[in-house]
Amino acid sequence: MTTTVEGQTTRGMRAGLLAVLARVWLVPIAVAAWELGTRQAGSTYFPPPSQILARMYELWFSGPAAHLFLTDGALGDFLPSLARLFGGWALACVLGIGLGVALGRSRKLSGYIDPLVEFGRAIPPPTLIPLFIILFKMGTQMQVATIVYGVIWPILINTIDGARHVDRVHADTAQAFGLGRAQRLFRIILPAAGPKIFAGVRLSLSLAVILMVVSELVGSTNGIGYQLMFTQQNFDLSGMWGAIVLLGVLGFVLNASFLVVERRVLSWHRRARQTT
Amino acid sequence: MLDVVNLSHTYGEGPNAHQALGGIDLKVAEGEMVCVVGPSGCGKSTLLRSIAGLIRPTEGQIRIRETTVADTPGDLAVVFQDYSRSLFPWMSVGDNVALPLRRRGKDRTARRAAAAEALEEVGLAAASSKFPWELSGGMQQRVAIARALAYRPSLLLMDEPFGSVDAQTREDLEDLVLKVREHHRMTVLLITHDIDESVYVGDRVVVLTRSPARVAGELSVDLPFPRDQIATRELPAFVHLRAEVGRLVRAKKESPPVQV
Amino acid sequence: MIDRRVVVRGAAGAAVLLIAAELAGRSGLIDPVLLPPMSTVLAGAAGLLADPEFLTDLWGTVIVWATGLLTAIVIAVPLGVLLGTLPRAELAARPLVEFMRPIPSVALLPLVTLLIPYDHGVKITVIVYAAVWPVLINTMYGLRDVDPVAKETLRSFGFGRLAVLARVSVPSAAPFVLTGVRLAAATGLIVAISAELVAGGTDGIGAFMIRAGSGYRTDLILAATLWAGILGLLANMLLVRVQRWAFRWHTERTGA
């Protein structure tokens, strides 16, 4: 008995291992090809990944343990970037969801505002950077304004859509039992629109990374985008590639952690759909 | 208790207008269980939605315990046909039942206790922490009934409450409603298209005509309590009443009422 | 059928905003140098259409945007079809895609500027990098979503794999591809203007704005912003039209 169970577990583990291998086998090959190719070519513009990693370590991750091994340079660039990113994104979430619920629940209001929303979201957000530079001067205010303006649209549009299409029986039930405004908002409308809102918020997060970089490339004295510009101007190509890799990792980690949160918060939605 | 006077409702305007209700008068006494029967699409739901304050009727008046129902719903609970859409999928069964109790000004523990008691009454004490979609259709409708019970409404409205479940579950739910109504002496207005059901559960059956709906007639049901799915249904009185209701529903199909 | 009330309300909303902005500028609530009155902006926007310099800039943006988008389609659609039909290849490529996709394409600007001396080439490259992903992902997704019954029907008539691909898989994935293209078009315009703002260059709406900004001509900046918005609106409208027209069967079937 026990032997067969053990046999099954090892077989199960082997199957799991194979499945993981089938997913990731190309990654080491790609990295190795990149390393070999760049070494062979010996181009200054394309440093080998080992060199990029070494430079990243040297620039950002060789700090004291008390600072989580981050160097002063890393703290000086990462923290402002992340603060702008999350600050702008959070502000856009609050504004977008608030306004979106109002517009989604009131036909009258949305009649007045919809065309403005349509036009507003058609304007490519970076176009407003020159205006924001004049209005807010260079610096954090301008960058946050750019991020807020740029990422609010997917949140707003999805919230309007979600809040507008709350199931009629849900709405009727809430009304028949005489739930108050606040309860209808927090217990019925927001959860019902939740899946749509989350989709918009996730889209806006990756957009926020792009706009953070653009706004830092154009007008900033610190941040990862500024670091990118600075390394290029000093012809520190390994450092520049390092900043690119860092941004890739940042985007990946943000998206992955957001998915984890989404799965937890919306587990009812996923599981309810599986059962019906 | 409930007093509906000359209730009319018309959807839309101009040439596309559709009159759903054509002047309905209806009274429900305290503690009474009234079934409203009518052919499909005759405006039964419009009647219920008007009483629940979900739509504002074009004409007429609705009073519950002498208070006029306007925009704000009266002191009532509704059980809808579509349980899967009426229960909120993002809340546990217990939270679904407890939610309306916030309006009763109860604190958290009191709400929980009331919800548990109501769930116990419909035989779902163990399901409190589950999600509605983890339960079968019949169980979900039990949850909806428990939610209405916990709320202790002065009037319970039921809109085809057993329309989406299988025959066996339907009988169980009918008996459940009879039992809790007996226990709480509740006033119930139940809407259905099923003639047998209306006679089986009702104290009185009101038959509506095809749209625009009017009252075609009404019958008192003097069947003994407790009712039993087999014994009651084979009583001559039951068979007779069923035939009477059937005749009223049918009669109006052939000769529509004269326009007033 | 559009409800007349909707049109009236929409116009009223826009009018209120314009008048409020106008009053704010005129009354001195906002410094008119920073935010000029709307009438000045609108007049400026109209004037720009007759300004050959601005037209060259507008055309410059349109040309890099369109070239970038087309190149991205040419790369991403075949690649998406390939990965979409070979599940093993897709599985293996997924981690690479998942890592490369979140790299903001504008972050490549400093590198690409060093590599490509030609101004339009730089912009097109970053636009391609940004526009490839939505098209690729949607193509892959569309191919995976093909109704197996339709495929098996054709197979049962003795058609080969390639014929099934050409006659069933690609046509039924096409609506998804076009959705990807629409997303890519919007992203492409954002990246085009970002690139112009960051890298400057000889022409483009972004370059125009930098010049206007250095002269503190907020009216011209706003006027150009207006045109950029109209450009985005037009492009989206065009693609929605194309999508509706080309895939009537799809919207009818899904009732979307």
Side-chain angles (χ1 to χ4, degrees), chain B residues 213-250:
Chain B
R214 289 192 184 80
V215 176
E218 53 174 86
L219 291 162
S220 279
V221 181
D222 309 314
L223 297 171
F225 285 97
R227 290 181 185 169
D228 179 87
Q229 290 287 355
I230 309 288
T232 304
R233 283 176 200 267
E234 51 184 23
L235 291 174
F238 180 89
V239 179
H240 175 70
L241 279 166
R242 187 177 61 184
E244 283 294 303
V245 175
R247 226 164 272 139
L248 276 172
V249 171
R250 222 155 242 279

mmCIF file of all heavy atoms in Angstrom, chain B residues 213-250:
data_model
loop_
_atom_site.group_PDB
_atom_site.id
_atom_site.type_symbol
_atom_site.label_atom_id
_atom_site.label_comp_id
_atom_site.label_asym_id
_atom_site.label_seq_id
_atom_site.Cartn_x
_atom_site.Cartn_y
_atom_site.Cartn_z
ATOM 1 N N ALA B 213 -54.084 44.252 -17.026
ATOM 2 C CA ALA B 213 -54.648 43.377 -16.002
ATOM 3 C C ALA B 213 -55.727 44.071 -15.171
ATOM 4 O O ALA B 213 -55.593 45.231 -14.782
ATOM 5 C CB ALA B 213 -53.526 42.893 -15.095
ATOM 6 N N ARG B 214 -56.815 43.329 -14.972
ATOM 7 C CA ARG B 214 -57.861 43.753 -14.020
ATOM 8 C C ARG B 214 -58.185 42.547 -13.181
ATOM 9 O O ARG B 214 -57.809 41.429 -13.515
ATOM 10 C CB ARG B 214 -59.105 44.183 -14.779
ATOM 11 C CG ARG B 214 -58.937 45.487 -15.510
ATOM 12 C CD ARG B 214 -60.286 45.996 -15.996
ATOM 13 N NE ARG B 214 -60.063 47.203 -16.773
ATOM 14 C CZ ARG B 214 -59.671 47.191 -18.032
ATOM 15 N NH1 ARG B 214 -59.497 46.039 -18.646
ATOM 16 N NH2 ARG B 214 -59.437 48.299 -18.680
ATOM 17 N N VAL B 215 -58.944 42.797 -12.111
ATOM 18 C CA VAL B 215 -59.326 41.651 -11.284
ATOM 19 C C VAL B 215 -60.494 40.945 -11.951
ATOM 20 O O VAL B 215 -61.547 41.537 -12.183
ATOM 21 C CB VAL B 215 -59.717 42.099 -9.866
ATOM 22 C CG1 VAL B 215 -60.199 40.904 -9.053
ATOM 23 C CG2 VAL B 215 -58.528 42.748 -9.190
ATOM 24 N N ALA B 216 -60.308 39.665 -12.290
ATOM 25 C CA ALA B 216 -61.360 38.923 -12.956
ATOM 26 C C ALA B 216 -62.319 38.318 -11.945
ATOM 27 O O ALA B 216 -63.471 38.064 -12.254
ATOM 28 C CB ALA B 216 -60.754 37.824 -13.823
ATOM 29 N N GLY B 217 -61.822 38.079 -10.767
ATOM 30 C CA GLY B 217 -62.682 37.505 -9.741
ATOM 31 C C GLY B 217 -61.824 36.990 -8.608
ATOM 32 O O GLY B 217 -60.604 36.946 -8.731
ATOM 33 N N GLU B 218 -62.437 36.642 -7.499
ATOM 34 C CA GLU B 218 -61.651 36.088 -6.413
ATOM 35 C C GLU B 218 -62.439 35.032 -5.648
ATOM 36 O O GLU B 218 -63.666 35.005 -5.674
ATOM 37 C CB GLU B 218 -61.150 37.176 -5.482
ATOM 38 C CG GLU B 218 -62.209 38.105 -4.937
ATOM 39 C CD GLU B 218 -61.584 39.038 -3.928
ATOM 40 O OE1 GLU B 218 -61.066 40.070 -4.358
ATOM 41 O OE2 GLU B 218 -61.597 38.714 -2.720
ATOM 42 N N LEU B 219 -61.711 34.151 -5.015
ATOM 43 C CA LEU B 219 -62.329 33.020 -4.334
ATOM 44 C C LEU B 219 -61.690 32.856 -2.973
ATOM 45 O O LEU B 219 -60.477 33.009 -2.831
ATOM 46 C CB LEU B 219 -62.038 31.742 -5.125
ATOM 47 C CG LEU B 219 -62.704 31.574 -6.481
ATOM 48 C CD1 LEU B 219 -61.979 30.513 -7.252
ATOM 49 C CD2 LEU B 219 -64.163 31.217 -6.300
ATOM 50 N N SER B 220 -62.516 32.518 -1.985
ATOM 51 C CA SER B 220 -61.957 32.171 -0.674
ATOM 52 C C SER B 220 -61.601 30.694 -0.689
ATOM 53 O O SER B 220 -62.320 29.891 -1.271
ATOM 54 C CB SER B 220 -62.984 32.400 0.417
ATOM 55 O OG SER B 220 -63.003 33.755 0.753
ATOM 56 N N VAL B 221 -60.504 30.374 -0.067
ATOM 57 C CA VAL B 221 -60.092 28.975 -0.014
ATOM 58 C C VAL B 221 -60.348 28.473 1.408
ATOM 59 O O VAL B 221 -59.634 28.832 2.326
ATOM 60 C CB VAL B 221 -58.606 28.836 -0.381
ATOM 61 C CG1 VAL B 221 -58.196 27.366 -0.343
ATOM 62 C CG2 VAL B 221 -58.330 29.432 -1.739
ATOM 63 N N ASP B 222 -61.375 27.651 1.571
ATOM 64 C CA ASP B 222 -61.671 27.174 2.926
ATOM 65 C C ASP B 222 -61.151 25.762 3.108
ATOM 66 O O ASP B 222 -61.914 24.868 3.447
ATOM 67 C CB ASP B 222 -63.186 27.150 3.194
ATOM 68 C CG ASP B 222 -63.816 28.460 2.835
ATOM 69 O OD1 ASP B 222 -63.244 29.484 3.234
ATOM 70 O OD2 ASP B 222 -64.850 28.458 2.136
ATOM 71 N N LEU B 223 -59.909 25.557 2.838
ATOM 72 C CA LEU B 223 -59.352 24.226 3.037
ATOM 73 C C LEU B 223 -58.765 24.162 4.439
ATOM 74 O O LEU B 223 -58.244 25.165 4.934
ATOM 75 C CB LEU B 223 -58.284 23.928 1.983
ATOM 76 C CG LEU B 223 -58.797 23.901 0.548
ATOM 77 C CD1 LEU B 223 -57.648 23.818 -0.423
ATOM 78 C CD2 LEU B 223 -59.747 22.736 0.342
ATOM 79 N N PRO B 224 -58.854 23.000 5.070
ATOM 80 C CA PRO B 224 -58.354 22.895 6.450
ATOM 81 C C PRO B 224 -56.825 22.982 6.518
ATOM 82 O O PRO B 224 -56.139 22.654 5.549
ATOM 83 C CB PRO B 224 -58.830 21.498 6.878
ATOM 84 C CG PRO B 224 -58.993 20.737 5.603
ATOM 85 C CD PRO B 224 -59.386 21.727 4.569
ATOM 86 N N PHE B 225 -56.340 23.442 7.665
ATOM 87 C CA PHE B 225 -54.893 23.449 7.943
ATOM 88 C C PHE B 225 -54.616 22.329 8.926
ATOM 89 O O PHE B 225 -55.511 21.984 9.693
ATOM 90 C CB PHE B 225 -54.476 24.786 8.550
ATOM 91 C CG PHE B 225 -54.435 25.887 7.550
ATOM 92 C CD1 PHE B 225 -55.520 26.765 7.416
ATOM 93 C CD2 PHE B 225 -53.335 26.054 6.711
ATOM 94 C CE1 PHE B 225 -55.486 27.777 6.487
ATOM 95 C CE2 PHE B 225 -53.306 27.086 5.796
ATOM 96 C CZ PHE B 225 -54.390 27.945 5.678
ATOM 97 N N PRO B 226 -53.457 21.766 9.078
ATOM 98 C CA PRO B 226 -52.347 21.977 8.153
ATOM 99 C C PRO B 226 -52.618 21.311 6.807
ATOM 100 O O PRO B 226 -53.265 20.288 6.749
ATOM 101 C CB PRO B 226 -51.187 21.294 8.883
ATOM 102 C CG PRO B 226 -51.830 20.249 9.731
ATOM 103 C CD PRO B 226 -53.137 20.805 10.136
ATOM 104 N N ARG B 227 -52.111 21.924 5.780
ATOM 105 C CA ARG B 227 -52.331 21.347 4.452
ATOM 106 C C ARG B 227 -51.276 20.297 4.165
ATOM 107 O O ARG B 227 -50.168 20.361 4.686
ATOM 108 C CB ARG B 227 -52.343 22.456 3.414
ATOM 109 C CG ARG B 227 -53.602 23.294 3.600
ATOM 110 C CD ARG B 227 -53.747 24.408 2.626
ATOM 111 N NE ARG B 227 -54.939 25.195 3.017
ATOM 112 C CZ ARG B 227 -55.225 26.369 2.489
ATOM 113 N NH1 ARG B 227 -54.443 26.896 1.575
ATOM 114 N NH2 ARG B 227 -56.299 27.010 2.885
ATOM 115 N N ASP B 228 -51.668 19.388 3.298
ATOM 116 C CA ASP B 228 -50.768 18.271 3.018
ATOM 117 C C ASP B 228 -50.736 18.043 1.519
ATOM 118 O O ASP B 228 -51.781 18.041 0.856
ATOM 119 C CB ASP B 228 -51.285 17.021 3.739
ATOM 120 C CG ASP B 228 -50.411 15.822 3.457
ATOM 121 O OD1 ASP B 228 -49.429 15.632 4.182
ATOM 122 O OD2 ASP B 228 -50.722 15.103 2.472
ATOM 123 N N GLN B 229 -49.546 17.851 0.999
ATOM 124 C CA GLN B 229 -49.395 17.771 -0.461
ATOM 125 C C GLN B 229 -50.295 16.696 -1.078
ATOM 126 O O GLN B 229 -50.819 16.878 -2.160
ATOM 127 C CB GLN B 229 -47.938 17.496 -0.838
ATOM 128 C CG GLN B 229 -47.008 18.667 -0.574
ATOM 129 C CD GLN B 229 -47.195 19.807 -1.560
ATOM 130 O OE1 GLN B 229 -47.962 19.712 -2.521
ATOM 131 N NE2 GLN B 229 -46.503 20.910 -1.319
ATOM 132 N N ILE B 230 -50.468 15.584 -0.397
ATOM 133 C CA ILE B 230 -51.302 14.521 -0.971
ATOM 134 C C ILE B 230 -52.754 14.694 -0.543
ATOM 135 O O ILE B 230 -53.655 14.851 -1.374
ATOM 136 C CB ILE B 230 -50.813 13.122 -0.513
ATOM 137 C CG1 ILE B 230 -49.311 12.965 -0.746
ATOM 138 C CG2 ILE B 230 -51.617 12.025 -1.209
ATOM 139 C CD1 ILE B 230 -48.899 12.815 -2.179
ATOM 140 N N ALA B 231 -52.976 14.739 0.788
ATOM 141 C CA ALA B 231 -54.342 14.718 1.316
ATOM 142 C C ALA B 231 -55.143 15.936 0.866
ATOM 143 O O ALA B 231 -56.290 15.819 0.424
ATOM 144 C CB ALA B 231 -54.310 14.628 2.840
ATOM 145 N N THR B 232 -54.531 17.122 0.968
ATOM 146 C CA THR B 232 -55.268 18.329 0.606
ATOM 147 C C THR B 232 -55.656 18.312 -0.864
ATOM 148 O O THR B 232 -56.769 18.657 -1.240
ATOM 149 C CB THR B 232 -54.417 19.579 0.911
ATOM 150 O OG1 THR B 232 -54.051 19.554 2.276
ATOM 151 C CG2 THR B 232 -55.169 20.847 0.598
ATOM 152 N N ARG B 233 -54.687 17.884 -1.673
ATOM 153 C CA ARG B 233 -54.937 17.942 -3.113
ATOM 154 C C ARG B 233 -56.003 16.956 -3.583
ATOM 155 O O ARG B 233 -56.485 17.062 -4.698
ATOM 156 C CB ARG B 233 -53.635 17.703 -3.874
ATOM 157 C CG ARG B 233 -52.728 18.934 -3.882
ATOM 158 C CD ARG B 233 -51.409 18.619 -4.550
ATOM 159 N NE ARG B 233 -50.380 19.573 -4.159
ATOM 160 C CZ ARG B 233 -50.102 20.676 -4.854
ATOM 161 N NH1 ARG B 233 -50.768 20.946 -5.944
ATOM 162 N NH2 ARG B 233 -49.174 21.491 -4.426
ATOM 163 N N GLU B 234 -56.332 15.939 -2.753
ATOM 164 C CA GLU B 234 -57.377 15.033 -3.225
ATOM 165 C C GLU B 234 -58.742 15.345 -2.626
ATOM 166 O O GLU B 234 -59.730 14.700 -2.949
ATOM 167 C CB GLU B 234 -56.992 13.558 -3.010
ATOM 168 C CG GLU B 234 -56.546 13.221 -1.619
ATOM 169 C CD GLU B 234 -56.080 11.772 -1.483
ATOM 170 O OE1 GLU B 234 -55.692 11.144 -2.490
ATOM 171 O OE2 GLU B 234 -56.128 11.281 -0.353
ATOM 172 N N LEU B 235 -58.810 16.400 -1.790
ATOM 173 C CA LEU B 235 -60.115 16.802 -1.255
ATOM 174 C C LEU B 235 -61.019 17.295 -2.391
ATOM 175 O O LEU B 235 -60.565 18.010 -3.278
ATOM 176 C CB LEU B 235 -59.942 17.947 -0.246
ATOM 177 C CG LEU B 235 -59.268 17.622 1.084
ATOM 178 C CD1 LEU B 235 -59.056 18.920 1.862
ATOM 179 C CD2 LEU B 235 -60.117 16.644 1.867
ATOM 180 N N PRO B 236 -62.283 16.939 -2.352
ATOM 181 C CA PRO B 236 -63.198 17.423 -3.396
ATOM 182 C C PRO B 236 -63.210 18.956 -3.452
ATOM 183 O O PRO B 236 -63.287 19.537 -4.527
ATOM 184 C CB PRO B 236 -64.554 16.882 -2.953
ATOM 185 C CG PRO B 236 -64.254 15.755 -2.028
ATOM 186 C CD PRO B 236 -62.922 16.030 -1.397
ATOM 187 N N ALA B 237 -63.123 19.572 -2.256
ATOM 188 C CA ALA B 237 -63.142 21.036 -2.226
ATOM 189 C C ALA B 237 -61.958 21.612 -3.003
ATOM 190 O O ALA B 237 -62.085 22.610 -3.719
ATOM 191 C CB ALA B 237 -63.098 21.525 -0.779
ATOM 192 N N PHE B 238 -60.797 20.968 -2.875
ATOM 193 C CA PHE B 238 -59.608 21.448 -3.583
ATOM 194 C C PHE B 238 -59.822 21.347 -5.095
ATOM 195 O O PHE B 238 -59.599 22.299 -5.842
ATOM 196 C CB PHE B 238 -58.386 20.605 -3.178
ATOM 197 C CG PHE B 238 -57.111 21.019 -3.850
ATOM 198 C CD1 PHE B 238 -56.293 21.979 -3.276
ATOM 199 C CD2 PHE B 238 -56.729 20.458 -5.067
ATOM 200 C CE1 PHE B 238 -55.121 22.372 -3.897
ATOM 201 C CE2 PHE B 238 -55.569 20.852 -5.684
ATOM 202 C CZ PHE B 238 -54.751 21.802 -5.104
ATOM 203 N N VAL B 239 -60.319 20.179 -5.506
ATOM 204 C CA VAL B 239 -60.541 19.955 -6.934
ATOM 205 C C VAL B 239 -61.541 20.975 -7.474
ATOM 206 O O VAL B 239 -61.343 21.555 -8.545
ATOM 207 C CB VAL B 239 -61.049 18.515 -7.170
ATOM 208 C CG1 VAL B 239 -61.305 18.282 -8.656
ATOM 209 C CG2 VAL B 239 -60.046 17.510 -6.629
ATOM 210 N N HIS B 240 -62.559 21.237 -6.679
ATOM 211 C CA HIS B 240 -63.576 22.186 -7.101
ATOM 212 C C HIS B 240 -62.984 23.594 -7.235
ATOM 213 O O HIS B 240 -63.177 24.279 -8.246
ATOM 214 C CB HIS B 240 -64.716 22.169 -6.076
ATOM 215 C CG HIS B 240 -65.753 23.193 -6.341
ATOM 216 N ND1 HIS B 240 -66.618 23.116 -7.416
ATOM 217 C CD2 HIS B 240 -66.056 24.350 -5.700
ATOM 218 C CE1 HIS B 240 -67.404 24.182 -7.412
ATOM 219 N NE2 HIS B 240 -67.080 24.944 -6.386
ATOM 220 N N LEU B 241 -62.243 24.002 -6.213
ATOM 221 C CA LEU B 241 -61.651 25.352 -6.237
ATOM 222 C C LEU B 241 -60.696 25.518 -7.411
ATOM 223 O O LEU B 241 -60.674 26.547 -8.077
ATOM 224 C CB LEU B 241 -60.890 25.600 -4.930
ATOM 225 C CG LEU B 241 -61.750 26.024 -3.737
ATOM 226 C CD1 LEU B 241 -60.958 25.894 -2.464
ATOM 227 C CD2 LEU B 241 -62.225 27.456 -3.933
ATOM 228 N N ARG B 242 -59.931 24.469 -7.632
ATOM 229 C CA ARG B 242 -58.966 24.534 -8.725
ATOM 230 C C ARG B 242 -59.695 24.750 -10.052
ATOM 231 O O ARG B 242 -59.286 25.549 -10.876
ATOM 232 C CB ARG B 242 -58.163 23.241 -8.775
ATOM 233 C CG ARG B 242 -57.039 23.297 -9.760
ATOM 234 C CD ARG B 242 -56.242 22.052 -9.743
ATOM 235 N NE ARG B 242 -57.060 20.901 -10.104
ATOM 236 C CZ ARG B 242 -56.630 19.653 -10.091
ATOM 237 N NH1 ARG B 242 -55.411 19.378 -9.693
ATOM 238 N NH2 ARG B 242 -57.409 18.669 -10.455
ATOM 239 N N ALA B 243 -60.806 24.046 -10.205
ATOM 240 C CA ALA B 243 -61.586 24.183 -11.435
ATOM 241 C C ALA B 243 -62.152 25.599 -11.552
ATOM 242 O O ALA B 243 -62.132 26.211 -12.628
ATOM 243 C CB ALA B 243 -62.716 23.155 -11.450
ATOM 244 N N GLU B 244 -62.618 26.138 -10.419
ATOM 245 C CA GLU B 244 -63.179 27.491 -10.423
ATOM 246 C C GLU B 244 -62.132 28.517 -10.858
ATOM 247 O O GLU B 244 -62.391 29.362 -11.713
ATOM 248 C CB GLU B 244 -63.677 27.856 -9.021
ATOM 249 C CG GLU B 244 -64.997 27.221 -8.639
ATOM 250 C CD GLU B 244 -66.130 27.748 -9.511
ATOM 251 O OE1 GLU B 244 -66.325 28.975 -9.543
ATOM 252 O OE2 GLU B 244 -66.778 26.926 -10.204
ATOM 253 N N VAL B 245 -60.940 28.416 -10.243
ATOM 254 C CA VAL B 245 -59.862 29.363 -10.581
ATOM 255 C C VAL B 245 -59.504 29.197 -12.054
ATOM 256 O O VAL B 245 -59.349 30.182 -12.783
ATOM 257 C CB VAL B 245 -58.612 29.132 -9.692
ATOM 258 C CG1 VAL B 245 -57.470 30.023 -10.140
ATOM 259 C CG2 VAL B 245 -58.941 29.392 -8.237
ATOM 260 N N GLY B 246 -59.410 27.933 -12.474
ATOM 261 C CA GLY B 246 -59.068 27.664 -13.868
ATOM 262 C C GLY B 246 -60.067 28.302 -14.808
ATOM 263 O O GLY B 246 -59.707 28.902 -15.817
ATOM 264 N N ARG B 247 -61.341 28.219 -14.445
ATOM 265 C CA ARG B 247 -62.380 28.798 -15.291
ATOM 266 C C ARG B 247 -62.208 30.311 -15.374
ATOM 267 O O ARG B 247 -62.299 30.897 -16.441
ATOM 268 C CB ARG B 247 -63.743 28.449 -14.709
ATOM 269 C CG ARG B 247 -64.732 27.963 -15.754
ATOM 270 C CD ARG B 247 -65.917 27.277 -15.124
ATOM 271 N NE ARG B 247 -65.675 25.852 -14.928
ATOM 272 C CZ ARG B 247 -66.043 25.178 -13.851
ATOM 273 N NH1 ARG B 247 -66.633 25.788 -12.841
ATOM 274 N NH2 ARG B 247 -65.813 23.894 -13.758
ATOM 275 N N LEU B 248 -61.909 30.941 -14.229
ATOM 276 C CA LEU B 248 -61.734 32.400 -14.216
ATOM 277 C C LEU B 248 -60.540 32.816 -15.079
ATOM 278 O O LEU B 248 -60.610 33.789 -15.818
ATOM 279 C CB LEU B 248 -61.505 32.884 -12.778
ATOM 280 C CG LEU B 248 -62.765 33.125 -11.944
ATOM 281 C CD1 LEU B 248 -62.380 33.404 -10.510
ATOM 282 C CD2 LEU B 248 -63.548 34.293 -12.517
ATOM 283 N N VAL B 249 -59.446 32.062 -14.952
ATOM 284 C CA VAL B 249 -58.251 32.406 -15.733
ATOM 285 C C VAL B 249 -58.564 32.261 -17.221
ATOM 286 O O VAL B 249 -58.206 33.101 -18.035
ATOM 287 C CB VAL B 249 -57.060 31.496 -15.356
ATOM 288 C CG1 VAL B 249 -55.903 31.709 -16.320
ATOM 289 C CG2 VAL B 249 -56.630 31.748 -13.928
ATOM 290 N N ARG B 250 -59.255 31.162 -17.548
ATOM 291 C CA ARG B 250 -59.526 30.827 -18.929
ATOM 292 C C ARG B 250 -60.579 31.739 -19.542
ATOM 293 O O ARG B 250 -60.431 32.204 -20.674
ATOM 294 C CB ARG B 250 -60.040 29.399 -18.994
ATOM 295 C CG ARG B 250 -59.469 28.619 -20.109
ATOM 296 C CD ARG B 250 -59.521 27.159 -19.735
ATOM 297 N NE ARG B 250 -58.194 26.601 -19.665
ATOM 298 C CZ ARG B 250 -57.540 26.211 -20.747
ATOM 299 N NH1 ARG B 250 -58.086 26.311 -21.925
ATOM 300 N NH2 ARG B 250 -56.325 25.730 -20.638
#
